[in-house]
C-alpha cells in the first residue's frame, strides 16, 4: 500500500503536467502514487498524459466519461486510490519540494484522520511561468488564516478540540478553506462516506467542513506547503461578464442547502445546538454570495440577468410559481451589496503586489 495517493484533476492541462508531476516526485516519498484524472478535456490532454507517463510506475492516468468538474474528478481519484493517505493538487499549482513528506510525518505522528496546514503561497509575478518551481521568495506572498504573531511559530501543530470549538474556529476563519496542503486518511473518508458534492462552487468548503466535524483526530500545523497560481490569471470558474457564472453561483447556493442538511443530520451535536447549524449554513451561503454571486451580479447588471432563461429555469425548478418572487427578492438584496469582498479581486496581480510591498514580515493574514 502506498503511503500517499496524490489526486490531480486535469482539464486542458498540457503546459502544466510535467512541472506538476516533477514537483510531486520531489516530495521525498518513494511509496507514493500520483493519480491524474482527465475531466474530458476538449484537447488532447488525456492522450498526452497517457503517452507521457506510460511505463511510469508512480503515475496512473484515468479519464472521466463526461465532464463533471474538479470535484467529480477527485471523487474518481478517491475511488481508484490505494494510499493510506489522500492528498489533492491542482495541475497548475505546486507543492513546495519535500512538503508532502513533512505533512505525512506530522500526520503519522498524531495518527491523524486529517492533517491540515493553515498557510499557503500566492504567486506575485507577471508574467507567470508554466513551472512555478522557478519562482523565488520575492515572487510569493505567504497567506494564512492566522494572526501574524501565530504565523511566526512555523511548524507548531495543534489538535482540534470539541465539536463546538471546531465550529467556532471555522466560523472565525481559523481553518484553511481549500483541500490543498492537507492529508486525509483514506479509511476515515470511506467510513464516513465523505465525498465531493455535485455543487460546482464552494465544494472544497463543504468537503472540508464535513471532514473537520467528523474527524476523530484533526491536526492543524503552521506551514505553507502549497503554491497557488494567482496574479495575472483569469478565473476559469467565473469568467468575464458571463451570466452563466452567476447562474452557477445561484445553483451552488441552492444545492448547498441540501448538502449541508445531510452533513448536519449525521452529527448529533446539531440536534442539541441547532443555532450552530444555522450559523454554519449562513456562513457558507454568505461566502458563496460575496465571493461569486454578488460580484458577478454587479458586473453584469440586473437588466441582463432578468432576461436570462437559464436562471428562470433553475429557479422554477426549485420554487415553481414563486420563482419570479424569489428572483425579484434576490435581486433587490444584491442591489445594495458591495463586491469588495470578492476573492477574485483579492488575487489580481496589482492587488497582491500592493500587499507584498506593504507586508514587512512577508505574511498576510486573511483574518477579518
Amino acid at each position: 500500500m502506498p503511503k500517499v495517493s496524490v489526486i490531480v484533476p486535469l482539464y486542458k492541462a498540457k503546459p502544466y503536467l510535467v512541472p506538476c508531476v516533477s514537483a510531486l516526485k520531489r516530495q521525498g516519498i518513494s511509496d507514493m502514487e500520483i493519480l491524474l484524472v482527465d475531466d474530458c478535456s476538449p484537447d488532447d490532454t488525456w492522450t498526452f498524459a497517457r503517452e507521457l507517463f506510460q511505463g511510469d510506475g508512480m503515475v496512473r492516468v484515468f479519464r472521466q466519461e463526461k465532464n463533471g468538474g474538479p470535484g467529480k474528478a477527485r471523487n474518481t481519484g478517491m475511488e481508484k486510490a490505494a494510499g493510506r493517505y489522500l492528498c489533492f493538487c491542482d495541475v497548475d499549482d505546486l507543492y513546495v519540494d519535500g512538503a508532502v513528506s513533512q505533512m505525512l510525518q506530522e500526520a503519522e505522528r498524531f495518527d491523524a484522520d486529517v492533517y491540515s496546514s493553515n498557510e499557503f503561497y500566492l504567486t506575485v509575478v507577471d508574467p507567470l511561468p508554466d513551472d512555478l518551481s522557478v519562482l523565488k521568495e520575492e515572487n510569493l506572498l505567504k497567506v494564512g488564516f492566522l494572526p501574524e504573531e501565530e504565523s511566526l511559530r512555523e511548524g507548531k501543530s495543534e489538535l482540534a478540540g470539541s465539536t463546538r470549538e471546531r465550529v467556532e474556529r471555522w466560523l472565525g476563519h481559523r481553518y484553511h478553506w481549500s483541500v490543498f496542503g492537507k492529508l486525509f486518511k483514506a479509511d476515515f473518508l470511506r467510513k464516513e462516506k465523505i465525498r465531493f458534492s455535485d455543487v460546482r462552487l464552494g465544494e472544497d468548503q463543504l468537503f472540508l467542513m464535513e471532514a473537520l466535524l467528523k474527524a476523530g483526530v484533526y491536526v492543524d500545523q503552521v506551514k505553507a506547503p502549497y503554491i497557488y497560481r494567482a496574479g495575472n490569471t483569469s478565473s476559469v470558474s467565473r469568467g468575464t461578464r458571463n451570466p452563466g457564472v452567476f447562474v452557477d453561483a445561484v445553483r451552488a447556493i441552492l444545492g448547498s442547502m441540501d448538502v449541508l442538511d445531510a452533513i448536519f443530520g449525521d452529527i448529533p451535536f446539531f440536534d442539541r445546538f441547532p443555532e450552530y447549524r444555522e450559523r454554519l449554513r449562513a456562513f457558507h451561503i454568505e461566502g458563496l454570495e460575496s465571493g461569486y454571486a454578488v460580484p458577478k451580479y454587479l458586473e453584469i447588471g440586473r437588466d441582463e440577468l432578468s432576461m436570462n432563461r437559464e436562471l428562470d429555469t433553475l429557479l422554477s425548478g426549485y420554487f415553481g410559481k414563486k420563482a419570479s418572487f424569489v428572483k425579484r427578492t434576490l435581486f433587490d438584496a444584491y442591489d445594495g451589496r458591495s463586491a469588495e469582498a470578492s476573492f477574485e479581486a483579492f488575487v489580481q496581480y496589482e492587488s497582491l503586489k500592493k500587499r507584498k510591498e506593504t507586508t514587512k514580515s512577508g505574511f498576510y493574514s486573511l483574518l477579518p
Side-chain angles (χ1 to χ4, degrees), residues 299-337:
E299 177 189 346
I300 296 171
R302 181 173 187 144
D303 290 344
E304 182 174 342
L305 290 172
S306 294
M307 298 182 292
N308 188 278
R309 292 184 178 180
E310 187 180 5
L311 178 63
D312 289 341
T313 300
L314 172 66
L315 294 177
S316 294
Y318 271 88
F319 302 105
K321 294 180 179 180
K322 296 180 180 180
S324 295
F325 171 77
V326 171
K327 183 171 71 170
R328 185 169 62 254
T329 303
L330 185 69
F331 287 0
D332 287 347
Y334 287 177
D335 279 336
R337 294 282 295 270

Side-chain angles (χ1 to χ4, degrees), residues 125-275:
V125 63
D126 187 14
L128 269 170
D130 290 342
D131 185 355
L132 299 184
S133 67
V134 304
L135 299 181
K136 300 179 180 180
E137 192 70 27
E138 58 263 31
N139 305 133
L140 302 170
L141 176 66
K142 185 185 287 187
V143 178
F145 295 99
L146 293 171
E148 187 170 330
E149 62 272 16
E150 289 187 43
S151 75
L152 298 176
R153 292 180 288 190
E154 183 78 17
K156 181 180 181 295
S157 292
E158 182 177 330
L159 287 172
S162 66
T163 300
R164 186 195 298 268
E165 291 170 331
R166 296 183 191 196
V167 171
E168 290 287 0
R169 287 175 68 86
W170 180 271
L171 292 171
H173 298 270
R174 292 297 298 268
Y175 288 112
H176 193 317
W177 42 257
S178 83
V179 296
F180 310 119
K182 296 176 173 62
L183 292 175
F184 303 87
K185 189 180 288 184
D187 286 347
F188 158 68
L189 295 180
R190 295 186 186 107
K191 177 184 176 183
E192 298 295 341
K193 299 179 181 178
I194 300 175
R195 294 168 57 85
F196 290 90
S197 71
D198 291 336
V199 174
R200 294 285 287 265
L201 293 175
E203 70 271 24
D204 280 23
Q205 289 92 328
L206 293 169
F207 183 92
L208 288 174
M209 181 195 297
E210 186 172 8
L212 171 67
L213 294 173
K214 293 183 177 180
V217 180
Y218 188 105
V219 60
D220 198 39
Q221 186 180 35
V222 184
K223 278 285 189 181
Y226 194 82
I227 302 174
Y228 288 90
R229 180 179 297 270
N232 67 348
T233 60
S234 61
S235 174
V236 174
S237 63
R238 300 173 201 180
T240 302
R241 289 195 56 80
N242 179 0
V245 179
F246 178 79
V247 178
D248 286 342
V250 175
R251 182 179 288 110
I253 290 168
L254 297 173
S256 293
M257 299 289 194
D258 295 333
V259 177
L260 289 167
D261 284 343
I263 293 173
F264 300 148
D266 289 340
I267 302 173
F269 170 84
F270 294 107
D271 293 330
R272 301 194 303 274
F273 303 101
E275 66 273 19

Side-chain angles (χ1 to χ4, degrees), residues 84-146:
R84 181 172 185 239
Y85 280 98
L86 306 183
C87 180
F88 300 99
C89 182
D90 268 1
V91 68
D92 57 343
D93 297 334
L94 222 61
Y95 276 96
V96 176
D97 288 1
V100 178
S101 177
Q102 295 172 13
M103 291 161 55
L104 178 63
Q105 181 178 352
E106 202 70 357
E108 290 182 329
R109 182 163 79 92
F110 288 93
D111 191 24
D113 292 318
V114 181
Y115 162 92
S116 171
S117 63
N118 51 33
E119 298 177 344
F120 55 94
Y121 290 106
L122 288 174
T123 57
V124 187
V125 63
D126 187 14
L128 269 170
D130 290 342
D131 185 355
L132 299 184
S133 67
V134 304
L135 299 181
K136 300 179 180 180
E137 192 70 27
E138 58 263 31
N139 305 133
L140 302 170
L141 176 66
K142 185 185 287 187
V143 178
F145 295 99
L146 293 171

